[in-house]
């Protein structure tokens, strides 16, 4: 018993700090893909479905999202493959506080020493490692990460000539943040959007005591998204904008950039708003 107790105590201590408690990656979302330039100074460095974007500049780089904890080594390799240095990432941004997009943020902070920015309504959830999520509870934990800076809606993040704007689009999480920027491609200015998420997988949209204003937040988000002028449509999941299909188009006709897709963006918003409204209406009927 004397030999067992210290081991047992050590396991309890480790578990208490959450060092070994995290949600493993979904393998089909985390396959390796070759990194590539999307347009201007925006590069794809993520996995097959969980995305990560590198925005480069002469004074350092900005990275959006980490994917899973297991995605971080892929991101590292992809940055290097493109000819950049991981340690030149000066700023790390988040779309939202779910394990498949924030699971590796703490590790990326350690690797890059970059400053991490988060929205006020997701900062607490990120710092708790996903615990107490208003829709998932404690189901999907990840390594906690503390924001160095708390964002304001509309705040512009500037680095070496690159400017990204934080746009709060709540619903999927209370602090869901959609990033926007403008890049130049063939002397043309293109509006780029990194949509946080507008899905509501298994969410309670009516009478949600942990997130009472969830339906109103979604409606406000859809209204804002529909007003945006978008040329290049990107998001937190590659499947949202047909990453695989567009890569196939690049291989066939490299002279045409399929990521310039304003109609694809409009269709995505319209279809997701319709699905949301149908789900909301059905839940209202169920609650009667």
């Amino acid at each position: 018993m004397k030999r067992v107790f210290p081991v047992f105590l050590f396991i309890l201590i480790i578990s208490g700090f959450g060092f070994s408690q995290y949600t493993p990656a979904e393998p089909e979302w985390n396959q390796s893909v070759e990194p590539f330039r999307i347009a201007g100074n925006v590069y794809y460095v993520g996995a097959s479905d969980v995305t990560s974007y590198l925005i480069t500049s002469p004074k350092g780089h900005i990275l959006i999202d980490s994917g899973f904890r297991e995605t971080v080594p892929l991101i590292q390799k992809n940055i290097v493959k493109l000819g950049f240095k991981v340690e030149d990432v000066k700023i790390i941004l988040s779309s939202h506080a779910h394990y498949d997009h924030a699971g590796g943020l703490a590790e990326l902070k350690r690797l890059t020493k970059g400053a991490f920015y988060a929205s006020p309504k997701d900062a607490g959830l990120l710092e708790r490692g996903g615990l107490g999520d208003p829709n998932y509870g404690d189901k999907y934990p990840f390594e906690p990460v503390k924001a160095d800076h708390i964002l304001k809606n509309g705040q512009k993040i500037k680095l070496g000539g690159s400017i990204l704007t934080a746009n709060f689009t709540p619903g999927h999480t209370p602090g869901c943040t959609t990033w926007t920027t403008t890049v130049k491609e063939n002397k043309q200015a293109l509006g780029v959007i990194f949509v946080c998420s507008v899905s509501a997988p298994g969410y309670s949209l009516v009478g949600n005591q942990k997130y009472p204003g969830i339906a109103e937040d979604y409606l406000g988000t859809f209204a804002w998204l529909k007003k945006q002028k978008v040329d290049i449509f990107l998001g937190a999941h590659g499947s949202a904008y047909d990453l695989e299909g567009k890569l196939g188009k690049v291989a066939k006709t490299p002279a045409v950039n399929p990521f310039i897709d304003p109609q694809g963006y409009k269709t995505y918003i319209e279809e997701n708003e319709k699905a949301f409204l149908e789900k909301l209406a059905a839940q209202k009927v169920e609650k009667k």
Side-chain angles (χ1 to χ4, degrees):
M1 290 298 292
K2 289 182 180 180
R3 291 183 179 180
V4 173
F5 178 73
V7 174
F8 177 70
L9 181 61
F10 176 76
I11 292 171
L12 282 178
I13 292 171
I14 292 296
S15 297
F17 281 101
F19 292 158
S20 60
Q21 295 180 7
Y22 78 101
T23 309
E26 296 283 346
E28 66 273 19
W29 289 356
N30 199 50
Q31 299 302 306
S32 178
V33 297
E34 285 297 311
F36 61 95
R37 188 177 70 87
I38 297 169
N41 62 334
V42 178
Y43 295 82
Y44 190 84
V45 294
S48 54
D49 192 53
V50 288
T51 62
S52 183
Y53 304 97
L54 188 73
I55 296 89
T56 64
S57 89
K59 294 187 177 181
H61 315 313
I62 300 170
L63 190 68
I64 302 177
D65 280 349
S66 69
F68 304 101
R69 188 168 87 169
E70 293 89 342
T71 314
V72 173
L74 301 180
I75 293 172
Q76 287 181 272
K77 290 178 182 177
N78 286 343
I79 291 173
V80 174
K81 278 184 179 180
L82 290 169
F84 302 109
K85 295 179 180 179
V86 175
E87 57 267 29
D88 285 340
V89 173
K90 305 301 181 186
I91 295 173
I92 301 172
L93 305 176
S94 169
S95 63
H96 60 286
H98 283 161
Y99 80 108
D100 48 342
H101 310 285
L105 290 175
E107 178 65 8
L108 281 174
K109 271 192 72 176
R110 287 191 291 269
L111 290 169
T112 66
K113 306 298 189 295
F116 175 50
Y117 290 72
S119 66
K121 289 190 177 181
D122 265 12
L125 186 54
L126 288 161
E127 197 166 346
R128 296 192 303 273
L131 300 180
D133 184 280
N135 292 293
Y136 294 129
D138 298 343
K139 189 176 180 180
Y140 299 114
F142 54 86
E143 184 178 357
V145 58
K146 182 177 175 61
D148 299 298
H149 305 282
I150 301 299
L151 294 162
K152 293 181 180 179
N153 193 27
Q155 182 174 342
K156 297 185 183 304
I157 303 299
K158 302 178 181 180
L159 181 65
S162 295
I163 303 174
L164 279 90
T165 303
N167 307 280
F168 296 167
T169 51
H172 190 71
T173 65
C176 217
T177 304
T178 290
W179 293 94
T180 53
T181 190
T182 301
V183 300
K184 284 189 177 181
E185 185 78 359
N186 297 323
K187 298 182 180 180
Q188 182 184 6
L190 300 171
V192 183
I193 194 165
F194 305 86
V195 178
C196 174
S197 182
V198 289
S199 66
Y203 287 11
S204 176
L205 303 174
V206 179
N208 188 333
Q209 294 182 358
K210 293 183 179 179
Y211 192 168
I214 186 170
E216 290 76 14
D217 277 355
Y218 268 105
L219 293 172
T221 286
F222 280 117
W224 182 86
L225 289 168
K226 286 190 289 187
K227 294 177 183 177
Q228 304 313 301
K229 182 184 179 302
V230 172
D231 297 301
I232 296 177
F233 165 38
L234 305 169
H237 282 280
S239 53
Y241 58 95
D242 191 22
L243 173 61
E244 185 178 0
K246 286 176 178 175
L247 286 176
K249 290 179 181 179
V250 170
K252 291 180 180 179
T253 55
V256 179
N257 189 341
F259 293 94
I260 300 175
D261 186 18
Q263 185 55 51
Y265 172 74
K266 290 178 182 178
T267 300
Y268 170 81
I269 299 303
E270 288 171 1
E271 290 180 349
N272 278 273
E273 183 180 34
K274 181 182 177 183
F276 170 79
L277 291 173
E278 289 174 352
K279 180 177 288 189
L280 179 61
Q283 289 190 14
K284 283 181 178 179
V285 170
E286 291 172 3
K287 289 289 183 179
K288 286 184 179 180

